[in-house]
Amino acid sequence: KSINIWSLDEQLRGHPLKYHIGSLDGHNGWIWALQECNKIVYSGSWDHNVMIWDLNANGKLLHTISNVHTAAVLCLQVKDNILYTGCHDSAVRMFDGRVDYRESIQPMYRHRRATLCMTLCDNYVITGSEDKTVIVYDIRSNAVLKTIKAKAPVTALYCDYDQLRIGVRNDIQVYNTRDGFFTEMDPILEIHDKAITGIFYDLSCMITCSLDGTIKVSEASKFPKVIRTLDHHKAAVARIDYRDGILASASSDASGTIGIIRRMNLKMAVTISEPGSKSLLLGNSTPVL
């Protein structure tokens, strides 16, 4: 129910509390979605609310979006002051931060079951669902561009470098986004032993995490080989985030692990434990949330 903030300004050495710089408290349910944009933090929770916090003002709560979502907010993304949310009630909604959030609610579309994950790619909002589909929504035309069918619930999405990567069970489906048609490419099969929960990809590597409790660093190629398997966690890995050489991971073993990747050599730097917590979820920012 709390968001903890950890500084990564220095090399991580010693006790993790040394790097704890604050917490954001206000939700009454598990926090399941977290994003940061220009020092503004957006959090979505099982209490059906989205809270917006200002890190420039010592974590001041700016807005609470309530009485809109009818179930848990499971994913969210922010771009150009526009907030997009995906909900357990299957709906995907848009809020315009340039005006009053309450007056700018725009239901966009619905899946048939819970919306589990979301990513933004150029002019598209892309969501994956428990209903075994991925919906690509074109923001410019305010219409669904494409619905991609999967063989199981979609648990992870990542879109960059002209590719959309979709985590389905322990496989990754790959689509070419360059032509705007999201053309299917060769899949990456059995990268993990259990369902994939997070994906990162750039021109140097692909990083994935899974319910099997591992994080795998693979080649950035058409048929990638695993370079390194990281097994620091003792249970399912809920999420990863990678930025500026820092890899952060969170697990249902109630710990967050922060490591440093340089030239594919990962050095485990610090483990953050939250007593009594089911899991830690990470935002994609520095400092780590």
Side-chain angles (χ1 to χ4, degrees), residues 42-103:
Y42 302 78
S43 56
S45 169
W46 279 80
D47 64 11
H48 305 183
N49 295 334
V50 172
M51 290 187 170
I52 303 171
W53 319 77
D54 187 354
L55 293 184
N56 292 310
N58 298 315
K60 177 183 177 182
L61 179 61
L62 297 177
H63 304 282
T64 298
I65 301 175
S66 58
N67 301 318
V68 175
H69 303 94
T70 61
V73 180
L74 300 181
C75 52
L76 57 81
Q77 292 285 326
V78 181
K79 183 179 180 180
D80 298 330
N81 287 318
I82 306 296
L83 169 66
Y84 304 91
T85 64
C87 190
H88 198 280
D89 66 7
S90 79
V92 177
R93 299 175 174 89
M94 182 187 77
F95 303 82
D96 191 340
R98 295 167 296 185
V99 296
D100 186 276
Y101 282 100
R102 291 288 305 172
E103 297 178 358

Side-chain angles (χ1 to χ4, degrees), residues 27-45:
H27 282 292
N28 293 314
W30 293 330
I31 298 169
W32 219 252
L34 200 59
Q35 285 285 311
E36 179 269 348
C37 183
N38 298 322
K39 297 294 184 179
I40 304 298
V41 175
Y42 302 78
S43 56
S45 169

Side-chain angles (χ1 to χ4, degrees), residues 6-7 10-21 270:
W6 310 83
S7 174
E10 302 176 6
Q11 291 292 320
L12 300 176
R13 296 288 186 273
H15 197 280
L17 289 179
K18 176 181 177 182
Y19 308 99
H20 185 259
I21 58 176
V270 90

Side-chain angles (χ1 to χ4, degrees), residues 45 47 124 178 218 223 255 268:
S45 169
D47 64 11
Y124 307 109
R178 184 180 301 173
S218 305
F223 301 106
S255 71
M268 232 279 282

Side-chain angles (χ1 to χ4, degrees), residues 29 102 232 235 244 247 255 289:
R102 291 288 305 172
H232 304 103
D244 299 330
L247 172 66
S255 71
L289 303 175

Side-chain angles (χ1 to χ4, degrees), residues 135-195:
I135 290 179
V136 180
Y137 184 90
D138 191 329
I139 301 171
R140 295 164 298 183
S141 62
N142 291 320
V144 173
L145 175 70
K146 186 167 186 173
T147 299
I148 299 170
K149 294 183 179 180
K151 61 186 178 182
V154 178
T155 52
L157 292 169
Y158 193 85
C159 190
D160 207 348
Y161 296 96
D162 298 324
Q163 289 188 5
L164 169 64
R165 299 195 170 205
I166 302 170
V168 180
R169 292 178 181 164
N170 59 342
D171 301 332
I172 296 177
Q173 296 177 209
V174 184
Y175 292 82
N176 183 358
T177 65
R178 184 180 301 173
D179 56 8
F181 294 105
F182 290 81
T183 306
E184 187 171 8
M185 302 170 66
D186 291 322
I188 302 169
L189 301 177
E190 298 181 351
I191 197 79
H192 283 273
D193 294 330
K194 294 184 179 180

